[in-house]
């Protein structure tokens, strides 16, 4: 209902009728992740719009939720994990709408938010184990390729040094170790 000094000269509004169904339709269409959602609350802590319209029709008060209290007290931004209306742990972000005295809150289940972190930890662990396995395999290969021929050279040199001049070193590595064994022979 407009306030007019005379017809056509509107100086303010006495009463405004707002159809909340349009707000609900917008709120219901917005998705946050897989299970997250947004909702709008009044300064009194009443639900204005929520994806579950039955909560709005029941005139469910959400003022007792810590994230709503923090938002209505003037805070905005992110909050730590809190319980939502259904008792599920959620991370909430909020923004006040000062002209209307409302606040918009976005909630995302903590399990869904942590799922990305857990997947990253799992990938990192798998890569770490894979790298560790490759390091063990490389050390075994180096052991067979280097340590075994060196040990055979040591044993052969010890036998030759002890006087067994007929002893022949059988090292077939194709590198400097084989050349050294051939020199001993």
């Amino acid at each position: 209902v407009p306030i007019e000094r005379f017809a056509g000269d509107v100086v303010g509004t006495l009463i405004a009728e707002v159809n909340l169904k349009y707000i609900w339709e917008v709120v219901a269409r917005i998705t946050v992740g897989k299970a997250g959602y947004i909702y709008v609350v009044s300064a009194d802590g009443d639900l204005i719009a929520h994806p579950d319209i039955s909560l709005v029709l029941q005139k469910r008060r959400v003022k007792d939720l810590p994230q709503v209290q923090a938002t209505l007290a003037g805070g905005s931004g992110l909050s730590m994990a809190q319980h939502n209306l259904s008792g599920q742990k959620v991370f909430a972000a909020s923004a006040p709408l000062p002209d209307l005295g409302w606040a918009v809150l976005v909630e995302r289940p903590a399990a869904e938010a942590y799922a990305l972190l857990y997947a990253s930890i799992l990938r990192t662990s798998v890569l770490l184990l894979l790298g560790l396995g490759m390091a063990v395999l490389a050390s075994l290969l180096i052991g067979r390729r280097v340590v075994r021929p060196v040990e055979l050279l040591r044993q052969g040199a010890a036998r030759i040094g002890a006087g067994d001049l007929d002893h022949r070193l059988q090292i077939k590595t194709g590198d400097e170790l084989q050349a050294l064994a051939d020199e001993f022979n």
Side-chain angles (χ1 to χ4, degrees):
V1 176
I3 300 173
E4 300 176 314
R5 283 187 219 165
F6 51 89
D9 185 21
V10 178
V11 292
T13 305
L14 182 61
I15 297 173
E17 184 176 311
V18 178
N19 186 347
L20 298 179
K21 183 175 186 237
Y22 299 118
I23 297 171
W24 172 78
E25 287 175 355
V26 171
V27 165
R29 277 189 253 139
I30 297 173
T31 59
V32 180
K34 294 179 184 174
Y37 54 89
I38 73 165
Y39 58 97
V40 182
V41 296
S42 70
D44 296 328
D46 296 321
L47 273 176
I48 303 293
H50 192 281
D52 183 359
I53 192 69
S54 66
L55 296 174
V56 177
L57 296 175
Q58 294 169 8
K59 297 186 181 203
R60 184 78 180 263
R61 291 182 57 88
V62 293
K63 194 168 190 165
D64 297 332
L65 295 175
Q67 58 269 32
V68 174
Q69 290 174 354
T71 301
L72 295 179
S76 65
L78 297 172
S79 69
M80 297 303 291
Q82 305 286 343
H83 293 284
N84 65 1
L85 287 172
S86 61
Q88 181 183 27
K89 280 258 193 191
V90 294
F91 286 108
S94 61
L97 301 173
D99 293 341
L100 298 172
W102 295 352
V104 177
L105 286 98
V106 178
E107 291 183 350
R108 187 171 188 187
E112 182 180 324
Y114 286 139
L116 297 173
L117 179 63
Y118 294 148
S120 176
I121 290 171
L122 179 65
R123 278 191 307 272
T124 302
S125 299
V126 167
L127 288 174
L128 181 65
L129 289 174
L130 197 71
L132 185 62
M134 289 174 61
V136 167
L137 183 62
S139 69
L140 290 173
L141 289 175
I142 289 172
R144 283 191 66 111
R145 183 93 174 134
V146 175
V147 175
R148 186 167 166 240
V150 169
E151 179 62 24
L152 288 174
L153 276 172
R154 189 194 63 76
Q155 289 172 357
R159 283 183 68 179
I160 293 171
D164 186 5
L165 298 179
D166 292 331
H167 179 69
R168 296 288 175 239
L169 297 172
Q170 300 296 324
I171 297 177
K172 303 290 182 207
T173 58
D175 58 8
E176 296 85 7
L177 294 174
Q178 183 177 348
L180 183 60
D182 290 343
E183 290 296 321
F184 272 112
N185 289 337

